[in-house]
Amino acid sequence: LRIDTEFRLLPVHLWLKEKLSALVLDTDRARKIISELIPKSDSSLDVDEYRQILYDQITVFADQLSTGEIPLSCDKYGRVHSPLTRFPKALRCCLSIEEGELGGIDLANSQPLFAGMVARKYENSSRQSRLKLRNWMPPKVPYGPGPVVPPCNTMSKSTQLVDNQGCCDLRSQGHYDVNEFIDLCQSGLFYEELIPAGMERSVFKRQVFRDLFFGRDRCSSKIRDVFTSRFPTVAKVISKLKSNNYRRM
């Protein structure tokens, strides 16, 4: 596994790994923050167990930074894993570099939006192109182009409407829910629209990722049922893309 992981490292990964050594961790500040943290409402851990896990995590990370032996791996789907990517959100303020504080950029609702864009492309594709999407596997270099599917403007004009971004408007085919879903994601309000009353947003987001986008569909899920009722076309495409291998989604 180690050899396979190292074999996948590209120049961009080696560059990222080198940059990790520039990190500085304020362990005293981190320990003070941890002493006030409590686990999420859906966690099976009690407060002491949760805090001890975080204490152990920052201790290991601090040792890795001091020795310069910081692990970084890339899976076959192109996702990078390192102590930094696993670092708890509440403790990110404890990380810096010699030049100053770190900054972060978050794209609201980005992964649901990508799913909506894939659903729109899938619905506008030929049967052969849909098969390519369902059977897609990542190439050796995972950051190259994905499967080739015809652009929207290759469809017959009789069934095509084009929006101001140059993409097909599925209202012409009755798939109103795809465009509604994409509009909702672009507004950054996808989770707020569907979250049950009284549930934490972070808890709901994790359940959406697990039950809808990235987990197996073996077990029943209220979240998946609600989503399917509201966005049936998007839910159908997600199910089809996960049918051969749920991790492909």
Side-chain angles (χ1 to χ4, degrees), residues 16-236:
L16 287 170
K17 189 172 184 179
E18 179 185 352
K19 295 300 178 183
L20 287 175
S21 61
L23 289 173
V24 177
L25 173 60
D26 187 340
T27 54
D28 291 336
R29 184 182 183 186
R31 287 182 176 277
K32 184 176 181 181
I33 293 174
I34 291 173
S35 67
E36 300 175 355
L37 294 178
I38 59 175
K40 300 293 183 181
S41 58
D42 62 341
S43 174
S44 61
L45 300 173
D46 61 34
V47 174
D48 291 337
E49 290 174 329
Y50 175 68
R51 291 175 180 172
Q52 187 60 53
I53 289 174
L54 294 180
Y55 285 137
D56 293 342
Q57 187 173 349
I58 64 169
T59 300
V60 171
F61 195 12
D63 290 342
Q64 292 169 338
L65 290 173
S66 64
T67 61
E69 296 293 329
I70 309 171
L72 182 144
S73 62
C74 175
D75 61 32
K76 68 178 182 179
Y77 292 93
R79 190 153 194 167
V80 172
H81 306 274
S82 73
L84 179 59
T85 61
R86 293 187 291 269
F87 208 68
K89 185 176 182 179
L91 301 179
R92 291 176 190 168
C93 60
C94 303
L95 289 171
S96 62
I97 55 176
E98 293 181 0
E99 289 80 3
E101 296 182 354
L102 298 174
I105 297 175
D106 180 57
L107 302 179
N109 297 181
S110 59
Q111 291 177 311
L113 175 60
F114 294 149
M117 294 167 66
V118 170
R120 178 154 62 180
K121 184 176 285 287
Y122 185 92
E123 286 299 301
N124 284 328
S125 297
S126 65
R127 181 177 179 181
Q128 183 179 8
S129 296
R130 292 182 180 187
L131 185 62
K132 288 182 180 180
L133 283 170
R134 289 201 300 271
N135 294 325
W136 177 84
M137 287 298 289
K140 186 175 181 180
V141 178
Y143 309 115
V148 177
V149 294
C152 293
N153 57 16
T154 62
M155 296 175 58
S156 64
K157 293 183 178 180
S158 61
T159 59
Q160 178 184 334
L161 294 176
V162 178
D163 62 21
N164 56 7
Q165 283 84 35
C167 293
C168 293
D169 188 340
L170 294 177
R171 294 180 182 89
S172 61
Q173 302 176 47
H175 300 303
Y176 290 88
D177 65 293
V178 178
N179 289 322
E180 180 188 355
F181 175 72
I182 291 175
D183 290 344
L184 190 61
C185 293
Q186 288 180 324
S187 71
L189 298 174
F190 167 66
Y191 300 107
E192 286 73 12
E193 181 75 11
L194 298 180
I195 188 171
M199 181 179 284
E200 296 178 22
R201 186 182 187 276
S202 59
V203 172
F204 179 67
K205 183 176 179 179
R206 288 200 303 275
Q207 291 185 4
V208 168
F209 279 12
R210 180 194 65 197
D211 295 355
L212 180 62
F213 292 117
F214 305 128
R216 293 183 174 93
D217 291 343
R218 293 177 178 175
C219 302
S220 60
S221 166
K222 291 182 179 179
I223 290 176
R224 195 187 309 121
D225 292 343
V226 170
F227 184 87
T228 301
S229 176
R230 178 75 179 275
F231 306 108
T233 307
V234 183
K236 179 191 71 174

Side-chain angles (χ1 to χ4, degrees), residues 232-244:
T233 307
V234 183
K236 179 191 71 174
V237 173
I238 290 174
S239 179
K240 286 182 178 294
L241 293 179
K242 291 201 297 182
S243 59
N244 293 334

